[in-house]
Amino acid sequence: MDETPNLGLPYIMAAQAQKHVTHNEALRTLDALVQLTVLDRDLAAPPSSPADGARYIVGPAPTGDWAGQANNIAAWQDGAWRFYTPGQGWLVWVSDEDVLLAFDGTAWVTAGGGPPPFNPVTGGLLGVNATADTTNRLAVSSAATLFNHAGAGHQMKINKATAGDTASQLFQTNFSGRAEFGLAGDDDFHVKVSPDGSAWHEAIVIDRNSGEVSFPNTVISGGRETLTANRTYYVRADGNDANNGLTDSAGGAFATIQKALNVVGGLDLATFQVTIQIGDGTYTGAVVVDKPWVGGSLVIVQGNVAAPGNVIVSPTGAHAFYIKATLPCPLRLKAFEGRTTTSGDVIRLEAPSDIECDGLRFGACAGAHARSMYPGGRINFMSAYTISGGAQRHWYTEFGAIRATGLTITLTGTPAFGNQFALSDMSGGMDVGGNTFSGGATGTRYLATRLGLIAVGGAGTTYLPGNAAGTTANGGVYA
C-alpha cells in the first residue's frame, strides 16, 4: 500500500530516495483538507488570480482547468490546481455563505443531511424541515407546531415598527390569503377575510382607544352596534371598501359614499351624530339610501367646506343621491358639487324625511338638481350655494316640498334650464321667497300646475332666474 486509505496521503517507503518529496506531498494534502474552508461552491470557471492555498468546491458543469471536477475540492497550490475527491461525511465551511456543508456521497448538503430536517444558517435564517429565506427567516414544515410553557404561561409577541405597519397572523390556502387578524395598517385590532387573497372584507374592528367593537359588514344577529359617541367615517378616492372607514388614510378610508352609508344603516345611532367625510376627488358611484337610520339622528355627508368644488359626485345614468327609505332618514348634504350625466337627478327624495342642503354646488345635470316627490318629504336649503351648470329643472316638487328662503344663490356661466327653473306639480309645495340671485340663467322661470304651489312672498313674476315667462295651470299657484 503506497498511501493512506482515507485522505490518500503518500507513505514514505523503505530505502526511498528524496523522502522529502513524499513528505511534502502529504503536508500539502493535509493543508488542503484539514479544517476545510472553501471560498465558494457555485463557480463553474476557476478564478483568474487565486491566492496560494485558496480552496473551492467546484460548481456544476465546470469549464477550463476545472472541467470534469464537479463537486470536488479545488486547491491552488504551488501555482497549479490540485483536485481532491470528497468522501462521504466530509465537512466544509463555505465562507461566502457562512454555512456548514457535508458530503453525502453524491452531493454537498447542509450539515445534518438533506433535504435538511433542521438547517440553521448564520445570518438570520432557520428552517425546520423547510428552507428559510430572507423574507421567511424562520420556516417550519410540519403537521403542528408547539409553543410550550416553561413552568408557567407562555406569550408570543409580534412587534411592528410604526402604527402604519402590519403585525398580524395570516391564514392561507395554497399561499393565497384567506383570513387575517392583528394590527393591519393601524393600531386597531382587525379581523378580515378574503375569497381570493386580493379583495379583503373587514369582519370585526376593535378600537384601540375605547375597546369599542364594530362590525363593518355585518348587522349582528340579535342586535346592532350601538354608538356611545359621535362618529366619523372617511371616504377617499384612493380608499378601499374593504377598509373600516375609521381613519383618513388610503389604508383606512372607504372608496365609496355608498359603502359608508351602508355601514351607517347597520348601526344604532342612539341619538349620536355620524359624519361621512369625503376627501377631494371625483366619485362616479350613485348613492342610494333605502334604509332608515336606527336611533333617530342626523347623518352628514360632507365634502370640502373651504372648497366645495374640490369634491364632485358625478354618476352616469343614475341619481347622484336617491333617498327612498320608507321611514325617516335625516340627511345633510354639505360642501360638495353634484352632477349627473345622461339621466338622473342630483338629489331625488322619495321618502318621508328631511334632506338638508348646506353650501352645495350644483353642476351640469341631466334631470333636476333637487326633486322632492313624497308627501311629508322636504328638501331644505340651509345656506348660500352655487349653481354652476344647467339642468332640466333646478327645483322640482310633486307631492313633496322644497324650502329655500333668505339665501344668496349664485349662478355662474348663465346655466340653461331645459324645462323650467322651478316646477311644482301634483300638490307639491315650494317656499322659495326672500332669496338673492346673483347671475342669470336661460329657460322658463317657473311652472305651477295641478295644485302645485310656488310661494315667493309676492316677489313678482320675474323673481326667479330665466329669460322666459313662467306660467300656472290646472289650479297651480305662484304667489
Side-chain angles (χ1 to χ4, degrees), residues 395 404-406 432-437 445 455-456 459-465 478:
W395 294 321
T405 61
V432 293
N435 296 308
T436 299
F437 294 96
R445 298 177 188 277
V456 295
T461 58
T462 61
Y463 163 68
L464 295 174
Y478 177 92

Side-chain angles (χ1 to χ4, degrees), residues 255-258 282-288 312-316 318-321 339:
T256 65
I257 304 167
Q258 183 70 64
T282 298
Y283 301 83
T284 58
V287 180
V288 178
I312 297 171
V313 180
S314 180
T316 298
H319 309 300
F321 284 85
R339 306 173 184 172

Side-chain angles (χ1 to χ4, degrees), residues 59-120:
T63 62
D65 290 345
W66 285 4
Q69 300 292 334
N71 281 332
N72 289 342
I73 305 297
W76 183 255
Q77 295 176 314
D78 299 329
W81 289 108
R82 183 170 179 181
F83 301 97
Y84 300 92
T85 301
Q88 186 173 12
W90 282 26
L91 298 176
V92 61
W93 181 259
V94 183
S95 62
D96 70 330
E97 299 179 38
D98 288 336
V99 60
L100 181 66
L101 302 181
F103 192 72
D104 66 1
T106 302
W108 292 98
V109 298
T110 304
F118 182 69
N119 61 331

Side-chain angles (χ1 to χ4, degrees), residues 29 33 44 77 85 120 128 134 157 165 171 178-179 192 206 208 244 247 335 345 354 393 399 406 422 447 457 460 470:
T29 301
L33 300 181
Q77 295 176 314
T85 301
V128 180
T134 55
K157 299 177 182 179
D165 296 330
F171 300 86
R178 291 297 181 268
K192 56 185 180 178
I206 304 176
R208 63 188 179 277
N244 63 16
T247 57
D345 305 322
D354 278 0
R393 300 175 179 91
F399 301 113
L447 171 61

Side-chain angles (χ1 to χ4, degrees), residues 19-40:
K19 294 179 173 62
H20 67 281
V21 174
T22 302
H23 177 68
N24 289 341
E25 183 70 15
L27 289 178
R28 275 196 297 269
T29 301
L30 289 172
D31 185 67
L33 300 181
V34 175
Q35 300 290 357
L36 179 56
T37 297
V38 299
L39 299 176
D40 201 300

Side-chain angles (χ1 to χ4, degrees), residues 95-170:
S95 62
D96 70 330
E97 299 179 38
D98 288 336
V99 60
L100 181 66
L101 302 181
F103 192 72
D104 66 1
T106 302
W108 292 98
V109 298
T110 304
F118 182 69
N119 61 331
V121 181
T122 58
L125 306 180
L126 176 61
V128 180
N129 201 35
T131 301
D133 55 41
T134 55
T135 299
N136 301 290
R137 291 183 174 272
L138 170 62
V140 180
S141 179
S142 67
T145 302
L146 172 65
F147 294 88
N148 195 20
H149 65 83
H154 182 88
Q155 185 180 69
M156 184 170 66
K157 299 177 182 179
I158 302 176
N159 185 51
K160 62 180 183 176
T162 67
D165 296 330
T166 292
S168 68
Q169 288 191 298
L170 177 66

Side-chain angles (χ1 to χ4, degrees), residues 315-379:
T316 298
H319 309 300
F321 284 85
Y322 186 13
I323 301 97
K324 59 176 183 177
T326 56
L327 293 172
C329 46
L331 182 66
R332 179 180 296 167
L333 305 177
K334 182 176 181 179
F336 61 84
E337 180 171 317
R339 306 173 184 172
T340 66
T341 303
T342 306
S343 65
D345 305 322
V346 172
I347 303 171
R348 186 184 183 100
L349 175 60
E350 294 184 19
S353 192
D354 278 0
I355 305 300
E356 299 177 353
C357 301
D358 186 2
L360 293 181
R361 289 173 59 92
F362 292 93
C365 172
H369 285 143
R371 184 174 183 178
S372 181
M373 302 176 61
Y374 197 94
R378 181 176 67 171
I379 300 175

